[in-house]
Amino acid sequence: MLNLYYRFDSDHWGPGYAAQAASAVVEWALRQGPDAPLVAVMATNNPASARVAERVGL
């Protein structure tokens, strides 16, 4: 199982670092195991993380 965890200081929220990291991991995972399930798990009170997951196709 691959677990991508990120946590940025609030001074660095917004420029897209999380989306860049998530996108790179999704691309890598699809190359390594294209048939393996890929899911996103996040706190229900974190809409920004949900947007990142949606943006990268999860």
Side-chain angles (χ1 to χ4, degrees):
M1 176 183 287
L2 174 65
N3 182 23
L4 169 64
Y5 175 87
Y6 56 84
R7 185 174 189 164
F8 297 104
D9 185 271
S10 60
D11 291 344
H12 302 287
W13 292 355
Y17 299 134
Q20 288 177 359
S23 179
V25 169
V26 167
E27 289 175 21
W28 177 86
L30 291 174
R31 283 194 313 271
Q32 297 301 311
D35 297 327
L38 213 48
V39 299
V41 178
M42 70 217 62
T44 58
N45 64 345
N46 193 336
S49 285
R51 284 191 301 274
V52 167
E54 290 173 5
R55 194 173 299 135
V56 300
L58 300 176

